[in-house]
Amino acid sequence: GVYWVTKVTKKLQSAKKVTKVPEKSQIFNSLVIKSRKYFCLNFRHVTMGTLQMSSRAPPMVPCASCKLPDCFYSDTKDKLYATLGIITGGTGALLFALDQSVKASDLELHPPKHPWSHKGYFSSLDHASIRRGYEVYKQVCAACHSMKYLAYRNLVGVSHTEVEAKAEAQEIMVKDGPDDQGNYFDRPGKLSDYFPSPYPNEEAARAANNGAYPPDLSLITLARHGGEDYVFALLTGYCDPPAGIVLREGQYYNPYFVGGAISMAQALYNEVLEYSDGTPATASQVAKDVCTFLKWSAEPEHDQRKLMAIKAIMIFSLLLSITYYIKRHKWSVMKSRKLAFIPKPQK
């Protein structure tokens, strides 16, 4: 940079176009930079490229650190901002596309929000509703849907006692073995056994449901956008198809399902079953109970997580108070001290 400034200054003096040699900063302000490859080292700009004189050069703002024009940085800043903008925009578009992929389409209603009793920050699940929801699954849903990630031992202490859970497990027959002679046998279920599947494999499930595969319900409230609100709306949202929509044989219309055509028939009606505790089994009550049960099956740690949050808030509040008191106590000497300079007496 110094070399080019010296060269331009000599040319101006030889041509006698100026009577006074301009300062270096003025020369820099009158130069048009053809190539903006540069770097800054020890607060001095060193430019690499071709420089030409121009009488109509735009004004340049000096750099605050080394008093040289700031245009050297503009190109790199523009490229940096453009790169950050492209990355941010691409990330946002990707997140938006992933979010839209699990949402309802334009031909589908969005489920309304319901005031569930467990929606509060410190609200637990309704365990009586979980027990009733298990009865709904056992008597209605288990005919088509599996819950392969849920074992009978998970019911203990949540909706059933250990004796009741063992009685529920013994109602099923589990193929076990081999025995000492290498033969397989059927035995009553145990607490360690998982809920049985209604079909031996996926092909059998599709064959029994006109090609549609009934999904596993263990994590269904986490696998669907809207959670239990979506499941409740789907179970209670069956209606006649509007004009212009033709359904194939074995299909039913539900506006909350993608496309509206669903292969699952309406399963919940008024008095579809009798609760063991005598609760009236209306369609909405049955749907609410089974949704609560599915919410618990997807998040069995729900209550423990919120209970741990309450304990953490109490403990950290106490620790924060003690920490603040100790801080004030330790720093009180430092903040209240007075420093004085006492010179030594001259002899």
Side-chain angles (χ1 to χ4, degrees):
V2 176
Y3 168 77
W4 285 105
V5 171
T6 306
K7 187 174 181 179
V8 171
T9 304
K10 290 181 178 180
K11 286 185 178 182
L12 291 176
Q13 289 177 344
S14 62
K16 298 182 179 181
K17 291 184 178 181
V18 293
T19 58
K20 183 180 179 181
V21 179
E23 297 181 359
K24 294 181 180 180
S25 60
Q26 295 176 352
I27 295 177
F28 272 115
N29 287 338
S30 63
L31 298 179
V32 176
I33 301 173
K34 289 295 186 64
S35 177
R36 291 186 175 182
K37 297 180 180 179
Y38 53 86
F39 60 92
C40 181
L41 182 63
N42 295 330
F43 302 106
R44 294 190 65 181
H45 292 283
V46 180
T47 60
M48 307 290 293
T50 304
L51 307 178
Q52 290 184 355
M53 293 294 300
S54 175
S55 60
R56 296 183 179 181
M60 301 181 182
V61 181
C63 178
S65 61
C66 50
K67 306 302 181 182
L68 289 180
D70 193 46
C71 66
F72 301 112
Y73 293 113
S74 60
D75 199 16
T76 300
K77 287 183 178 179
D78 294 342
K79 292 180 180 179
L80 178 61
Y81 293 153
T83 304
L84 292 178
I86 293 174
I87 295 175
T88 304
T91 305
L94 177 61
L95 294 177
F96 179 77
L98 293 176
D99 184 62
Q100 292 296 321
S101 63
V102 296
K103 284 187 176 180
S105 62
D106 293 337
L107 300 177
E108 181 181 359
L109 291 178
H110 294 272
K113 301 294 183 180
H114 297 288
W116 299 94
S117 60
H118 55 268
K119 280 296 185 180
Y121 290 109
F122 305 113
S123 300
S124 64
L125 292 167
D126 185 356
H127 287 250
S129 183
I130 294 176
R131 184 186 179 97
R132 293 193 299 267
Y134 168 74
E135 295 179 10
V136 177
Y137 168 76
K138 176 183 176 182
Q139 300 183 35
V140 181
C141 307
C144 299
H145 295 273
S146 63
M147 296 191 75
K148 59 183 179 180
Y149 298 113
L150 199 64
Y152 286 97
R153 64 172 179 266
N154 300 128
L155 300 175
V156 178
V158 178
S159 58
H160 296 72
T161 62
E162 184 176 353
V163 176
E164 292 173 337
K166 286 183 178 179
E168 292 290 333
Q170 290 175 357
E171 293 181 4
I172 65 172
M173 299 301 295
V174 180
K175 189 174 183 179
D176 203 350
D179 55 11
D180 296 339
Q181 299 179 358
N183 299 322
Y184 287 88
F185 58 93
D186 292 335
R187 61 165 177 82
K190 301 183 294 185
L191 286 178
S192 58
D193 293 324
Y194 288 83
F195 286 14
S197 176
Y199 304 104
N201 49 60
E202 181 178 345
E203 288 72 17
R206 291 186 181 275
N209 293 276
N210 296 324
Y213 179 63
D216 184 85
L217 300 182
S218 302
L219 306 172
I220 195 66
T221 57
L222 294 179
R224 297 295 183 270
H225 188 82
E228 58 268 34
D229 290 321
Y230 168 77
V231 178
F232 182 88
L234 185 69
L235 293 175
T236 59
Y238 286 87
C239 62
D240 296 330
I245 295 181
V246 180
L247 300 176
R248 295 181 298 179
E249 183 181 359
Q251 288 187 336
Y252 307 89
Y253 183 75
N254 193 315
Y256 296 100
F257 190 72
V258 178
I262 185 172
S263 297
M264 184 181 71
Q266 183 175 359
L268 302 183
Y269 299 92
N270 293 331
E271 306 299 332
V272 69
L273 77 161
E274 292 184 4
Y275 283 129
S276 58
D277 59 356
T279 302
T282 60
S284 58
Q285 179 67 44
V286 172
K288 178 257 182 184
D289 291 334
V290 74
C291 288
T292 304
F293 172 72
L294 295 177
K295 174 69 175 179
W296 166 78
S297 66
E299 301 180 54
E301 80 290 346
H302 179 275
D303 291 353
Q304 291 296 327
R305 184 177 68 244
K306 292 186 176 181
L307 183 61
M308 185 63 65
I310 296 176
K311 294 180 180 179
I313 291 175
M314 296 175 61
I315 293 175
F316 281 108
S317 299
L318 178 61
L319 293 178
L320 183 62
S321 302
I322 297 175
T323 304
Y324 179 74
Y325 173 79
I326 295 177
K327 180 261 180 186
R328 292 295 301 270
H329 175 73
K330 292 295 184 181
W331 282 84
S332 60
V333 178
M334 301 294 295
K335 290 187 176 182
S336 60
R337 68 179 181 175
K338 180 179 180 180
L339 300 178
F341 175 74
I342 303 177
K344 295 182 179 180
Q346 297 180 358
K347 296 183 179 179

